[in-house]
């Protein structure tokens, strides 16, 4: 019977553990890249570009045009001969035409325009990816701040337990006259202060969790279990950031614009056909409504553009230089940031070693203080001071450990891993 009860308790514990929501840092990275409102722009950009490409492709289709006009001419052509029987055209004239123009050859200008739009889409989508990637550092700050709140809460609980236990000893000592009266009031006051600290930690954690929840688009609350990440870093200046791909795509976009400009002055050949009805028609000497049509081909060639095409290409070359300069600046700033995080990682690691030594010394002091308190050598205020010193030393160790993991996570994000 006892064994059966133990099994039931075990399965109940497992069920409750699984029921508690858990989340990891990597999951937060994934969720922010999937749920942040900026993600919607990728689909919108694709739809917008597809419409623009469809609009560009319509230039390959026959272009229809309708034109109608009515006019009164102050003078018309007349034959200066008498008795010819030919009437001059009417002063009032009417015409309605339907025209069809078909592009035959334009040197690949339409395809080049489509390539520019496609290149622009890739650049814009990569820019979105860069913006989403940069949110990871914000996720880091929130996630590790929550972990720090949890650790601080646990340390405060330990301090509270120690004080509650010590309060019982002090009250017993007061009862037997070995400890001064009202010594218990000092501990009770400290316990009340701890309750205030619990409230501050909980309120701060609530804000952090709500902010992270809004950022990643995932419902979270203070009961959510945040897994402590095991972060490894490779302290090398190698950069694999999406910004580097963005700079390359910008250069490819400029190259596609160069190809488009090169095709602007290529001769363009069109076929055309026009049909309509007019009074007069093509025969200007027939003053009746007549149907008519014309068909043919025409060549359009901008022979001289005052070097406008050349200046456009030179402008694009300057844009390329600007992108190269942006790349250089980004790499410089990124390397500076990596060096700063590397220095911070080494500094915090050294502080952690010192923190451990301080804690060991504080523990020895607290043990001696406890003995002195039991013997009435010191007051409870002195004991609480030493207990608080130990708590602060342990809290500093926890803070440095969290800061170390945060620095490692930020280093990896800055590096591009």
């Amino acid at each position: 019977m006892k064994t059966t009860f133990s099994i039931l308790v075990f399965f109940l514990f497992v069920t409750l553990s699984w029921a508690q929501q858990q989340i990891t840092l990597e999951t937060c990275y994934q969720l922010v890249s999937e749920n942040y409102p900026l993600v919607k722009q990728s689909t919108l950009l694709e739809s917008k570009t597809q419409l623009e490409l469809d609009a560009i492709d319509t230039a390959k289709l026959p272009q229809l045009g309708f034109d109608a006009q009515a006019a009164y001419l102050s003078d018309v052509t007349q034959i200066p001969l008498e008795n010819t029987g030919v009437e001059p055209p009417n002063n009032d004239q009417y015409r309605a035409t339907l025209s069809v123009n078909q592009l035959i050859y334009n040197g690949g200008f339409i395809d080049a325009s489509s390539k520019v739009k496609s290149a622009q889409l890739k650049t814009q989508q990569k820019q979105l990816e860069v913006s989403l990637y940069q949110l990871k550092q914000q996720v880091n700050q929130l996630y590790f701040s929550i972990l720090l709140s949890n650790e601080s809460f646990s340390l405060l609980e330990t301090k509270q337990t120690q004080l509650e236990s010590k309060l019982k000893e002090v009250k017993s000592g007061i009862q037997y006259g070995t400890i001064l009266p009202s010594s218990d009031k000092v501990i009770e006051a400290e316990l009340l202060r701890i309750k205030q600290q619990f409230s501050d930690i909980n309120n701060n954690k609530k804000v952090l969790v709500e902010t992270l929840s809004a950022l990643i688009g995932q419902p979270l609350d203070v009961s959510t279990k945040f897994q402590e990440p095991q972060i490894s870093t490779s302290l090398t200046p190698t950069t694999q950031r999406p910004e580097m791909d963005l700079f390359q795509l910008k250069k490819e976009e400029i190259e596609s614009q160069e190809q488009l400009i090169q095709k602007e002055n290529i001769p363009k050949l069109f076929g055309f056909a026009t049909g309509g009805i007019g009074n007069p028609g093509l025969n200007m000497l027939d003053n009746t409504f007549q149907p008519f049509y014309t068909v043919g081909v025409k060549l359009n060639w901008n022979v001289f553009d005052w070097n406008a095409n050349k200046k456009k290409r030179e402008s694009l070359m300057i844009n390329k230089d600007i992108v190269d300069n942006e790349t250089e600046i980004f790499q410089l700033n990124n390397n500076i940031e990596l060096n700063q995080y590397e220095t911070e990682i080494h500094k915090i690691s050294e502080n952690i070693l010192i923190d451990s030594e301080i804690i060991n010394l504080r523990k020895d002091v607290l043990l001696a203080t406890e003995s002195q308190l039991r013997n009435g050598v010191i007051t409870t205020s002195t004991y609480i001071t030493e207990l608080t010193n130990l708590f602060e030393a342990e809290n500093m160790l926890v803070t440095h450990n969290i800061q170390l993991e945060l620095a490692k996570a930020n280093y990896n994000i800055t590096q591009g891993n």
Side-chain angles (χ1 to χ4, degrees), residues 81-125:
L81 298 176
E82 296 181 359
N83 302 321
T84 59
V86 177
E87 297 181 3
N90 296 328
N91 292 79
D92 56 323
Q93 298 185 1
Y94 308 92
R95 174 170 292 201
T97 59
L98 180 66
S99 301
V100 179
N101 287 278
Q102 174 63 57
L103 177 66
I104 298 174
Y105 174 78
N106 70 345
F109 183 81
I110 295 176
D111 292 337
S113 299
S114 297
K115 288 180 180 178
V116 169
K117 290 296 180 183
S118 299
Q120 289 174 344
L121 174 62
K122 291 179 181 179
T123 302
Q124 291 168 341
Q125 288 183 323

Side-chain angles (χ1 to χ4, degrees), residues 3 23 78-79 87 130 142 157 161 171 216 222 293 349 377:
T3 303
I23 196 165
Q78 297 186 20
I79 300 176
E87 297 181 3
V130 168
L142 291 167
E157 284 182 323
T161 302
K171 285 186 175 182
I216 66 176
V222 291
Y293 72 89
S349 299
V377 177

Side-chain angles (χ1 to χ4, degrees), residues 122 183 325 379:
K122 291 179 181 179
S183 295
N325 182 249
T379 64

Side-chain angles (χ1 to χ4, degrees), residues 47-98:
S47 300
K48 172 177 172 290
T49 301
Q50 187 57 54
L51 290 172
E52 291 174 342
L53 290 174
D54 292 342
I56 291 173
D57 283 341
T58 58
K60 298 178 181 179
L61 302 176
Q63 308 297 308
L64 300 178
F66 176 76
D67 183 42
Q69 70 175 30
Y72 182 86
L73 282 65
S74 62
D75 197 8
V76 294
T77 303
Q78 297 186 20
I79 300 176
L81 298 176
E82 296 181 359
N83 302 321
T84 59
V86 177
E87 297 181 3
N90 296 328
N91 292 79
D92 56 323
Q93 298 185 1
Y94 308 92
R95 174 170 292 201
T97 59
L98 180 66

Side-chain angles (χ1 to χ4, degrees), residues 94 146 156 302:
Y94 308 92
I146 293 170
L156 204 56
N302 187 7

Side-chain angles (χ1 to χ4, degrees), residues 201-219:
I201 291 174
N202 284 331
N203 290 333
N204 183 53
K205 179 182 176 181
K206 184 174 181 294
V207 172
L208 291 170
V209 171
E210 289 175 351
T211 305
L212 180 61
S213 175
L215 189 64
I216 66 176
Q218 176 81 5

